[in-house]
Amino acid sequence: MNVDVFVVGAGPSGLAAGIASARNRRGTVCVLERNTESGCKFLLSGSGQCNVTHSGQIADFLNHYGNTKKARFVKPALLSFDNIALTHFFEQRGVPFLKREDGKIFPKSLKSKDLLNILVAELKEQGGILQTETVVKNVAKINTGFLLTTNRGEFCAEKLILATGGQSYPSTGSQGDGFRFAKQLGHQLVEPKPALTPVIVRNYPFADLSGISFWSAKIEIHRNRKRLKVGQGDVLLTHRGLSGPAILNLSRDMKPNDKILVALIEPEKWVSEIFTGKRTLKNALQQFGIAERFLVRILELFDIVPDQPVAETNRETRKRLELVLTGYPFIIESLGGWNEAMVTSGGVVLEEVNRQTMESRIVSGLYFCGELLDIDGNTGGYNIQFAISSGFTAGNSVHY
Ligand SMILES: Cc1cc2nc3c(=O)[nH]c(=O)nc-3n(C[C@H](O)[C@H](O)[C@H](O)COP(=O)(O)OP(=O)(O)OC[C@H]3O[C@@H](n4cnc5c(N)ncnc54)[C@H](O)[C@@H]3O)c2cc1C
């Protein structure tokens, strides 16, 4: 098969790239997908409900990709197809949205399938071809463009858009093939690693309390006695350690042996007056909204009697409690692996890609979009928004 543009991967970024390049109607566009269905990971997103983007100013999105270099890279794509454009695109095609209190945006039906159907229908409407059950095995640059070796034979295209995603949840089809292709074509990679992943904690004493969460807790990551990062958000106790948005978002910066301090009570709110009156220690501490079962466990762990009257609590105990409740220390044993991570951090080095067009600075006619790039966003819809925005940018920039 010879076409003008091949897009490899039919996730949100590849479908968006296919739609945008097919719209030009200057030649044939074909999206190749290894699975029998497109968008397997997209279907899983937001527990099947698809948190497709976030509300608010698009400028505020820029802080949600890790650092200022990443913010600079994502900016043109996000500005050219922002959260408003994204929701309009689907609304015009019959899918209304709802905004949750925390700003996350979902289809009103809470079905990711409704959004995926629209992307696929639009690709076909614009004349694009979707060819599933086609595994791209190798990619090479040739004089006339690119040669793709697949399980269905060899295909040639003038232009190539790689939209193969990252490496997490490999059962969805995103197995890191694009990293290999990018390397074969001369690109460098920032080493891919699991991100937006829960944390396994060493000597974890709260396995039976899994499901308890701390609302909007301040957290700090420490390495070699230095504070590395700070964050704030909900923290969830799991069977093996910690999860929840605050942990997931900072996981890209964590390593085994790092210490995570979780402030169950903000230091500013810790007041010595709690040790006055006739209350028990447990009752006095409950005013901070900590789940009772967790509070009792902490007190037990530190050999403090929960029902002792506050007035009888000695100075040393008070100091220990303050330390522990304003920064409970968890040591990271390991981070969740590829089967647990929601995204991949690392990928195609950003300096080698033109952020205005998504075209490679090394190989002309080659484009990248989505999670294959060295971009990973926080939870909240930032990853799918970037996948779709960068896909549209790549598709709009392909000239053929
Ligand atoms: C459980 C889970 C929940 C998530 N929830 C959210 C959420 O609510 N909001 C959010 O913003 N993000 C969420 N994400 C992240 C988001 O789904 C991804 O960032 C996004 O799907 C990336 O889009 P993409 O198009 O770049 O890659 P992908 O969606 O990974 O698509 C890549 C496609 O390429 C295909 N492919 C790969 N290699 C080949 C090959 N060699 N030949 C042919 N085809 C190939 C794959 O089969 C796949 O279909 C979630 C992720 C997971 C795992």
Side-chain angles (χ1 to χ4, degrees):
M1 178 165 55
N2 289 340
V3 302
D4 298 289
V5 180
F6 269 121
V7 181
V8 185
S13 68
L15 291 169
I19 292 167
S21 46
R23 259 187 207 151
N24 291 329
R25 302 212 188 274
R26 295 211 216 116
T28 28
V29 176
C30 179
V31 181
L32 302 175
E33 169 58 50
R34 65 150 33 102
N35 295 324
T36 40
E37 299 290 336
S38 49
C40 284
K41 189 177 279 182
F42 188 68
L43 286 177
L44 288 184
S45 67
S47 306
Q49 302 182 341
C50 193
N51 171 205
V52 66
T53 187
H54 206 90
S55 60
Q57 299 291 318
I58 200 72
D60 297 336
F61 274 54
L62 305 180
N63 301 325
H64 292 271
Y65 296 91
N67 60 40
T68 47
K69 184 179 95 177
K70 309 276 172 93
R72 202 169 160 266
F73 186 88
V74 297
K75 193 173 176 185
L78 292 183
L79 288 181
S80 69
F81 193 79
D82 63 13
N83 49 349
I84 309 281
L86 186 148
T87 46
H88 275 175
F89 174 87
F90 289 105
E91 277 164 354
Q92 279 167 355
R93 289 160 182 82
V95 173
F97 287 93
L98 63 84
K99 185 179 94 176
R100 278 193 354 192
E101 251 178 40
D102 57 5
K104 292 180 179 177
I105 292 181
F106 293 83
K108 231 177 198 160
S109 63
L110 296 176
K111 286 188 186 136
S112 45
K113 182 83 180 155
D114 290 353
L115 301 182
L116 182 63
N117 286 346
I118 284 182
L119 289 172
V120 172
E122 184 64 15
L123 174 69
K124 292 179 182 166
E125 174 72 25
Q126 296 301 336
I129 303 162
L130 173 60
Q131 187 167 313
T132 55
E133 295 178 28
T134 306
V135 187
V136 176
K137 295 183 170 170
N138 271 306
V139 172
K141 178 83 181 101
I142 53 173
N143 281 343
T144 52
F146 298 88
L147 176 70
L148 275 59
T149 312
T150 80
N151 59 330
R152 292 169 179 260
E154 291 189 337
F155 303 158
C156 291
E158 204 183 308
K159 309 279 173 166
L160 177 64
I161 303 178
L162 289 178
T164 46
Q167 208 170 318
S168 72
Y169 274 65
S171 56
T172 60
S174 317
Q175 300 169 4
D177 298 5
F179 298 137
R180 182 166 50 86
F181 302 152
K183 259 180 142 174
Q184 281 169 353
L185 292 166
H187 275 269
Q188 296 182 73
L189 297 181
V190 173
E191 196 194 340
K193 66 178 192 112
L196 290 188
T197 173
V199 162
I200 293 114
V201 169
R202 187 168 301 154
N203 301 327
Y204 181 62
F206 306 118
D208 57 326
L209 301 185
S210 90
I212 288 181
S213 57
F214 310 110
W215 183 73
S216 197
K218 284 192 174 154
I219 68 169
E220 296 183 0
I221 308 173
H222 289 241
R223 186 174 303 157
N224 301 330
R225 295 169 187 273
K226 283 201 187 116
R227 191 169 68 175
L228 199 71
K229 284 266 170 181
V230 292
Q232 184 162 13
D234 298 354
V235 174
L236 174 75
L237 297 183
T238 68
H239 288 104
R240 296 182 302 160
L242 303 175
S243 188
I247 299 294
L248 296 173
N249 289 340
L250 285 181
S251 64
R252 65 164 82 83
D253 297 305
M254 295 178 187
K255 279 188 180 167
N257 298 320
D258 286 351
K259 188 194 284 181
I260 305 176
L261 294 180
V262 179
L264 306 161
I265 297 172
E266 287 182 33
E268 313 77 73
K269 291 193 181 151
W270 180 265
V271 279
S272 47
E273 286 93 83
I274 60 171
F275 295 105
T276 58
K278 287 188 174 163
R279 299 170 295 176
T280 64
L281 191 53
K282 191 180 83 184
N283 286 345
L285 292 172
Q286 269 175 332
Q287 69 179 287
F288 294 106
I290 304 171
E292 185 177 344
R293 285 191 302 145
F294 182 76
L295 196 52
V296 170
R297 175 65 50 82
I298 294 264
L299 296 174
E300 280 167 6
L301 282 172
F302 288 85
D303 280 332
I304 301 169
V305 181
D307 292 324
Q308 69 174 276
V310 280
E312 289 173 23
T313 315
N314 64 30
R315 236 179 114 210
E316 193 210 328
T317 304
R318 293 177 189 192
K319 197 68 213 158
R320 268 165 71 206
L321 268 177
E322 180 179 358
L323 265 180
V324 135
L325 294 176
T326 57
Y328 191 91
F330 295 92
I331 306 294
I332 300 177
E333 178 69 39
S334 60
L335 293 151
W338 290 116
N339 291 322
E340 288 176 275
M342 282 160 72
V343 293
T344 302
S345 77
V348 173
V349 162
L350 300 181
E351 287 77 5
E352 296 178 352
V353 178
N354 181 335
R355 66 197 172 110
Q356 304 288 347
T357 60
M358 298 292 149
E359 188 173 12
S360 159
R361 292 187 191 279
I362 294 182
V363 183
S364 124
L366 171 67
Y367 296 76
F368 299 99
C369 52
E371 215 181 295
L372 171 61
L373 288 157
D374 177 24
I375 293 291
D376 55 293
N378 289 345
T379 58
Y382 301 101
N383 285 295
I384 292 179
Q385 173 73 57
F386 176 70
I388 293 181
S389 298
S390 60
F392 274 119
T393 302
N396 282 326
S397 313
V398 172
H399 300 295
Y400 50 91

